[in-house]
Amino acid sequence: MKTTVSVIKADIGGCPGHSTCNQKLIDNAKKILLKSKVINDFYVTHCGDDLELIMVHGKGVNNKEVHKLAWSVFESGTKIAKKEEYHGAGQDLLKNAFSGNVKGMGPGVAEMEFEERKSDPVLVFMADKTEAGAWNFPLYKIFADPFNTAGLVIDPHMHEGFLFEVLDARTGKTVQLSSPEEIYDLLALIGSPGRYIIKAVYSKKKDIAAVTSTQKLSQMAGRYVGKDDPVMICRAQSGFPAVGEVLEPFAFPYLVSGWMRGSHNGPFIPVSQRDARCTRFDGPPRVICIGFQVANRKIIGPQDMFDDPAFDLARQKANEIADYIRRHGPFQPHRLPDEEMEYTTMPAVMKKLSGKFK
Ligand code: F6R
Ligand code: MG
Ligand code: MG
């Protein structure tokens, strides 16, 4: 049986500020998805101010009806957000009329279709206050680093490695690189997560293993409208990395760009759904993970994977790093380099000062 997992998300208004998503938006989304005949099952949550729709169905990726359903949830939620005067109501809905696919319209999308295995564990990661390339580091660790994933060495089904599909966000072109043979080329690209974004990972037999949302909001809107706050879907077990190997990279709170005004580097802190609320300096950038089994197009046993003391040390470390890096105030490398600040005041400041440069 072919099953599709679609994760479609948007920031349609925060409350208060850009910190979190009001329960009314979550309830409204659940109400609409429950009535729909288009999908077989769903799970609604939020990460920070982003409303996250996890949907399971049999209609394939880029399906018009599924995208239309997600768009209708965001449109309806935007009405509530506007009425209740949430902050940035309708922020990510960059277009008015739906034209068949939410891609390019503001919401983030990650989707994969696969033949259901006898047991199919899936992990969905959702982030707030960071960019699409934030998944480069963990995807490399999960699918290419034997110090992270023991299975790359000792599981005969994973020993041959994986294929990485990398998007150049500047040109829109993609390149496929094979691990372990081409890992140095791969790292040369994905070490620049602002430009090169891992879009998908496949087994050497071309089975889909992971997929990410790669939309760049600023490029779509032509101005800064908030960071991309990306999502990622990963399959696990039996030839793919184990659930614990997929979670392992998040035990290290690596640095990502985003945070306050989308213009700062900061630690990526893994949190429970309960703590998926951005606070200090509008962050720190957060990641949550919902794990479940997919069976007969149903979501079985969803679990809040970072709601666990095993990630306490990562959270403590993240807080230490946040404290340290925050003391740099407006200085790099806490603040992002100039090129990545183009949607801020930088051009205006330069224009004002241009006559004063002697
Ligand atoms: C970052 C983010 C926030 C806002 C900041 C200013 O992605 O959403 O850090 O950039 O709170 O928001 P406005 O301009 O709405 O006052
Ligand atoms: Mg927001
Ligand atoms: Mg957000």
Side-chain angles (χ1 to χ4, degrees), residues 9-11 18-19 47-52 91-92 127-130 226-229 278:
K9 48 82 47 181
D11 174 353
H18 294 277
S19 67
C47 185
D49 55 7
D50 290 85
L51 178 63
E52 316 275 357
Q91 179 184 288
D92 285 359
D128 191 31
K129 307 292 185 271
T130 190
K227 273 287 181 209
D228 315 313
D229 303 339
C278 288

Side-chain angles (χ1 to χ4, degrees), residues 176-237:
Q176 204 170 76
L177 293 168
S178 184
S179 162
E181 309 89 287
E182 298 175 296
I183 53 168
Y184 297 157
D185 296 333
L186 175 65
L187 286 168
L189 300 184
I190 65 171
S192 304
R195 174 162 182 184
Y196 298 100
I197 303 165
I198 301 175
K199 202 175 149 67
V201 181
Y202 298 89
S203 71
K204 293 265 163 104
K205 292 191 206 85
K206 305 279 163 64
D207 284 328
I208 185 80
V211 65
T212 68
S213 61
T214 51
Q215 100 289 2
K216 284 237 170 226
L217 268 177
S218 58
Q219 279 179 0
M220 278 186 251
R223 67 192 149 84
Y224 182 73
V225 279
K227 273 287 181 209
D228 315 313
D229 303 339
V231 292
M232 160 167 89
I233 311 172
C234 258
R235 295 171 78 198
Q237 308 290 155

Side-chain angles (χ1 to χ4, degrees), residues 158-190:
M158 280 168 62
H159 198 76
E160 56 185 357
F162 288 90
L163 298 167
F164 288 76
E165 189 181 335
V166 180
L167 168 75
D168 178 350
R170 217 170 282 171
T171 63
K173 291 183 180 170
T174 58
V175 60
Q176 204 170 76
L177 293 168
S178 184
S179 162
E181 309 89 287
E182 298 175 296
I183 53 168
Y184 297 157
D185 296 333
L186 175 65
L187 286 168
L189 300 184
I190 65 171

Side-chain angles (χ1 to χ4, degrees), residues 3 5 56 114 116 120-122 292-298 300:
T3 294
V5 180
V56 176
F114 51 84
E116 269 190 32
D120 227 306
V122 171
F292 48 87
Q293 298 264 143
V294 174
N296 302 310
R297 296 184 183 145
K298 291 276 177 207
I300 311 295

Side-chain angles (χ1 to χ4, degrees), residues 57 93 103 107 112 128 139 147 180 187 198 237 242 244 250 261 318:
H57 54 92
L93 305 195
K103 272 188 196 152
M112 56 161 71
D128 191 31
L139 282 172
F147 283 75
L187 286 168
I198 301 175
Q237 308 290 155
F250 297 94
R261 297 175 191 275

